[in-house]
Amino acid sequence: MITVKNLTKVFEDKKRGRIVAVDNISFEVNRGEIFGLLGLNGAGKTTTLRLLATILKPTSGTASLDGLDVVKSPEKAKAKLGFLTGATGLYARLQAREMIRYFGLLYGMSEADADKRTDELIAIFNLKDFAAVKCDKLSSGNKQKVSIARTMVHDPEVIILDEPTVGLDVITSRAVVNFVNDEKKRGKAIIFSTHVMHEAEKLCDRIGIIHYGKIIAVGTPDELKTITRCNDMDDVFVKLVEDNGNVS
Amino acid sequence: MFRNIKIIYRKELVDVIRDRRTIISMIVVPILIFPLLTIGFSGVMANLMQKSAAEKHKIAVINKDDAPDLYALIDSSSKVEIVSTDISVDSAKQAILDKLIRAAIIIPDDFSKKLANGETTSVQILYDASETKSDFALEKVKDLVTGYKLGILNSLLADRGVDPSLLEPFSVAETNVASKEKMGGLILSIFLPYIIILLSMLGAMYTAIDLTAGEKERGTLETILVSPVPRWQLATGKFLTILTTSVVSTSLAIISMSATMLYGMQSFGRMGEDMAINITPLMILIILLMMIPTACLFSALLMSIAIFAKSYKEAQSYLSPLMTIVILPALVAFLPGVELDLKLAFIPIVNICLCIKESLMGHINWIYVAIIFITTFIYASFAIFVTHRMFQKESVLFRS
């Protein structure tokens, strides 16, 4: 499970001064739950996710992944995490299979285990014909599949997916969504971030809306609809964001 | 711990070797640069020399009527061609500047008469020192005039019954006591320090950019940072990869240079006959002792700068000026009279160049070798430390 407690991140920018990108955020994601994190561009979403992935260090507050503190034991916490964002690219000159296997090894697998797991993932994601293709020669759909396979190589307890379906065709996009649902059934704690509201509504058990670095609402899709008295998820989001427009 | 570094090192090496640009900068350039330079340079030089020597330079003779003997001598020479005799001094000067003629001889008034009377006089030669061909013409004309002078001298002496050999009571002969190997060492000592400094930097440069700024540009830095590998291990794996390409290119360049010298001596002309390249195990040891820490220093230095850049291009613009800066201390080491001493032994790059230069000439001072090896490693360690710090800094890794 994921526990986020009073997480805050301040950037010192020479031109713009002090920027509070993440402002005292707290939330929890349980096992077998998909938590949607929604927000406008620049709302602090990516920073929050990077803090959870220990790529950035929080200014104050902390978070834990499967009971491991991201500040105190970042390497151990990372070993529990599968992390995919638009900024986690593939090594262009590695073949799809080499890419997945490399990360298997980095997560501490033996060569034999990494080979086995790579074959498994190649089968799951239907990548057999592309296993020996260099990553920069793959179609964007297959690239995303390889990225997800890379994310899942160590069968993590905690999964963070930032816009995993962006730019994908309907079939691939549906395959990704189905995969995320399967992982949920296997008891994983998942954070799923997207700009597509109806996708969030369909997939997520609970949704948190982040705005100006703060979580302004948390609840099931139905709860959020009730609070805002809107029926459409897009309207729900817009209303919440507009009502909190003057937060900072 | 070492397992992770090994995994990263192996992957980075595969990654980098699959890039054609790395192969060119790490293998092709170091192998070809020296043979091409040698063949090209010596070929062009020899060609130019031959052409100039064979060319019949056009000259003018002013006031030829006062020196008919000298004129006849010059006119009969196959080395120059008299194209004008009725030209003023000023227009001769202009003609030389305009490259219409290459030199002009001005014979003073009453030259023959003064010679017959035993008066001293002087012949003037006009030429343009900024023109190689004019220089050649000057030499040829001087030879002719001096030959004429000697002829007159000999006949004057003969007239007075004096043996001309009296003019040279003894002769001076020079003998080079340096062995062929030492002469070869001189040539090696000129080129080798540059090659080590330049190639260990050039060899590291491309990989250093590719593995740092290149990763940012291609969006893979975040992918690797998410893996549970501690950042210092990541930095170390990358550093070792850069070091490998640096050492490989430098070694290839040294081997290629030695081979060029061994098999291509003839291209050095007469100098080549007096030279031999004899690379002893001791020399290889010294070269390695100097090359390894230098490669470490540059690898870490370039990496710590390149990680700062957001893109390939930005990294290149940071690193290119460094090339010029680094070559300066290497030049200082070649100023005449600069010799390795305790103070210079601590100045990076200068100390490496001086130590290699002096060792190849046969002056191996193991104390200096040790000092330089250790200090360069200390500088390199500092650069590695800075690199590791850079890999911890959010402001460097996620500069926006």
Side-chain angles (χ1 to χ4, degrees):
Chain A
M1 60 185 286
I2 306 167
T3 316
V4 180
K5 241 187 186 166
N6 306 109
L7 200 63
T8 301
K9 179 67 181 178
V10 178
F11 291 111
E12 299 293 342
D13 191 287
K14 272 180 197 133
K15 282 172 210 149
R16 293 181 293 167
R18 204 163 165 272
I19 300 161
V20 186
V22 175
D23 194 355
N24 204 20
I25 279 182
S26 300
F27 63 88
E28 278 191 13
V29 183
N30 301 310
R31 283 177 199 285
E33 184 181 38
I34 302 177
F35 185 83
L37 192 61
L38 311 184
L40 298 172
N41 295 326
K45 223 172 42 184
T46 305
T47 307
T48 306
L49 301 183
R50 280 179 173 171
L51 288 169
L52 291 179
T54 80
I55 299 172
L56 298 177
K57 283 199 177 73
T59 311
S60 65
T62 188
S64 68
L65 307 177
D66 203 29
L68 293 162
D69 193 290
V70 296
V71 179
K72 285 181 199 138
S73 46
E75 270 87 36
K76 282 184 187 157
K78 268 196 279 194
K80 299 280 181 186
L81 171 69
F83 186 80
L84 172 83
T85 79
T88 50
L90 299 173
Y91 285 107
R93 296 189 289 260
L94 291 191
Q95 298 167 1
R97 135 173 288 285
E98 290 171 331
M99 178 78 201
I100 301 167
R101 186 175 179 276
Y102 176 49
F103 276 81
L105 294 173
L106 291 181
Y107 279 100
M109 289 179 195
S110 69
E111 306 239 334
D113 285 351
D115 282 333
K116 211 178 124 207
R117 178 67 176 156
T118 305
D119 288 338
E120 235 172 78
L121 288 163
I122 285 173
I124 293 174
F125 288 98
N126 245 328
L127 286 166
K128 202 142 207 143
D129 295 341
F130 307 99
V133 176
K134 286 190 187 158
C135 288
D136 64 341
K137 298 274 191 284
L138 292 170
S139 69
S140 54
N142 282 332
K143 269 185 192 156
Q144 192 66 352
K145 284 182 181 175
V146 174
S147 276
I148 296 173
R150 189 271 304 160
T151 310
M152 302 309 299
V153 72
H154 54 305
D155 196 17
E157 291 303 313
V158 175
I159 303 168
I160 295 178
L161 303 169
D162 188 5
E163 298 188 44
T165 55
V166 74
L168 299 184
D169 60 52
V170 188
I171 305 279
T172 320
S173 169
R174 185 169 289 181
V176 170
V177 167
N178 288 341
F179 177 80
V180 175
N181 261 323
D182 287 348
E183 288 299 312
K184 171 192 159 178
K185 280 177 203 144
R186 294 181 62 216
K188 307 294 174 70
I190 302 169
I191 294 180
F192 190 95
S193 153
T194 178
H195 283 298
V196 187
M197 295 305 154
H198 71 264
E199 189 180 74
E201 183 182 5
K202 239 166 62 183
L203 191 64
C204 300
D205 299 303
R206 281 189 304 138
I207 287 173
I209 308 235
I210 185 168
H211 193 51
Y212 285 119
K214 285 194 161 102
I215 297 255
I216 53 173
V218 185
T220 63
D222 285 341
E223 282 169 359
L224 294 181
K225 282 180 184 171
T226 314
I227 300 168
T228 53
R229 279 179 239 128
C230 295
N231 269 325
D232 183 79
M233 223 27 221
D234 276 342
D235 295 339
V236 171
F237 180 75
V238 170
K239 183 139 202 316
L240 283 168
V241 164
E242 278 178 351
D243 287 352
N244 288 276
N246 303 322
V247 166
S248 55
Chain B
M1 180 176 110
F2 291 115
R3 180 182 179 269
N4 280 341
I5 295 175
K6 211 175 98 190
I7 293 168
I8 291 165
Y9 174 73
R10 233 173 22 200
K11 177 260 158 189
E12 297 291 15
L13 210 55
V14 168
D15 199 345
V16 131
I17 285 172
R18 282 192 188 160
D19 191 1
R20 203 180 332 117
R21 289 177 291 183
T22 315
I23 297 300
I24 291 173
S25 76
M26 180 170 94
I27 294 172
V28 179
V29 170
I31 289 181
L32 290 184
I33 189 162
F34 205 80
L36 287 183
L37 270 181
T38 315
I39 294 164
F41 187 71
S42 57
V44 166
M45 278 306 280
N47 199 349
L48 272 181
M49 293 291 222
Q50 257 170 13
K51 253 193 188 163
S52 266
E55 196 178 335
K56 245 185 155 184
H57 293 291
K58 291 183 169 131
I59 62 163
V61 179
I62 297 170
N63 193 24
K64 71 168 170 113
D65 296 336
D66 275 339
D69 295 349
L70 178 58
Y71 177 77
L73 181 76
I74 295 170
D75 199 23
S76 65
S77 163
S78 62
K79 290 178 175 169
V80 293
E81 181 189 358
I82 300 171
V83 293
S84 169
T85 52
D86 51 356
I87 185 172
S88 73
V89 173
D90 283 339
S91 46
K93 280 182 186 166
Q94 196 54 50
I96 292 171
L97 291 175
D98 294 342
K99 301 178 196 172
L100 297 172
I101 55 172
R102 293 304 183 177
I105 304 171
I106 306 170
I107 292 164
D109 290 338
D110 302 327
F111 180 74
S112 296
K113 270 185 211 158
K114 281 182 179 166
L115 275 185
N117 295 340
E119 288 174 50
T120 57
T121 179
S122 91
V123 172
Q124 232 188 95
I125 304 170
L126 304 178
Y127 78 111
D128 178 352
S130 67
E131 284 289 330
T132 318
K133 287 189 173 179
S134 191
D135 246 350
F136 275 111
L138 169 74
E139 288 307 317
K140 288 171 182 171
V141 170
K142 238 163 106 178
D143 281 351
L144 289 169
V145 176
T146 313
Y148 178 68
K149 191 171 84 181
L150 274 174
I152 291 176
L153 192 63
N154 281 341
S155 66
L156 279 176
L157 289 173
D159 285 352
R160 281 159 220 203
V162 182
D163 184 353
S165 68
L166 262 183
L167 279 181
E168 195 167 321
F170 63 89
S171 68
V172 181
E174 302 160 3
T175 306
N176 184 0
V177 297
S179 60
K180 285 184 171 188
E181 284 74 20
K182 198 174 178 203
M183 292 302 289
L186 173 71
I187 297 292
L188 269 184
S189 75
I190 291 170
F191 289 110
L192 209 67
Y194 280 110
I195 290 202
I196 289 180
I197 298 295
L198 272 182
L199 266 296
S200 58
M201 181 155 178
L202 265 178
M205 180 134 81
Y206 180 77
T207 320
I209 297 176
D210 196 56
L211 294 193
T212 55
E215 257 205 73
K216 281 191 196 174
E217 191 171 298
R218 293 188 296 267
T220 49
L221 186 66
E222 204 158 321
T223 319
I224 194 73
L225 289 180
V226 178
S227 78
V229 177
R231 287 188 195 173
W232 72 267
Q233 294 177 10
L234 181 66
T236 307
K238 284 177 180 292
F239 166 74
L240 291 175
T241 314
I242 299 168
L243 180 63
T244 305
T245 59
S246 173
V247 169
V248 168
S249 5
T250 314
S251 309
L252 285 176
I254 293 175
I255 292 168
S256 146
M257 182 192 80
S258 311
T260 310
M261 295 198 139
L262 279 174
Y263 299 106
M265 260 340 176
Q266 56 271 38
S267 60
F268 282 94
R270 209 179 63 77
M271 218 174 137
E273 291 162 23
D274 304 332
M275 267 180 2
I277 301 289
N278 184 16
I279 294 165
T280 60
L282 190 68
M283 271 161 72
I284 294 174
L285 175 69
I286 301 245
I287 290 171
L288 282 178
L289 282 177
M290 294 295 113
M291 182 178 91
I292 304 283
T294 308
C296 283
L297 177 63
F298 283 136
S299 300
L301 186 71
L302 296 186
M303 188 175 162
S304 63
I305 297 171
I307 184 70
F308 212 79
K310 279 176 293 192
S311 68
Y312 214 94
K313 269 205 173 142
E314 195 185 340
Q316 267 178 329
S317 67
Y318 290 160
L319 295 185
S320 300
L322 211 63
M323 286 298 280
T324 338
I325 297 171
V326 158
I327 204 72
L328 284 178
L331 287 172
V332 167
F334 288 97
L335 293 177
V338 178
E339 280 182 8
L340 194 54
D341 60 29
L342 204 54
K343 258 184 264 163
L344 287 176
F346 287 93
I347 300 175
I349 302 172
V350 175
N351 58 7
I352 298 277
C353 292
L354 283 174
C355 185
I356 296 168
K357 180 177 128 183
E358 294 186 9
S359 299
L360 289 177
M361 298 286 286
H363 314 297
I364 299 173
N365 185 331
W366 286 104
I367 294 171
Y368 284 148
V369 172
I371 290 176
I372 295 168
F373 181 80
I374 292 166
T375 48
T376 309
F377 250 122
I378 291 172
Y379 297 137
S381 313
F382 180 72
I384 294 168
F385 172 75
V386 170
T387 311
H388 278 149
R389 285 297 297 271
M390 291 288 192
F391 265 80
Q392 300 291 343
K393 279 191 122 142
E394 290 171 8
S395 55
V396 171
L397 295 181
F398 297 96
R399 214 159 60 90
S400 52

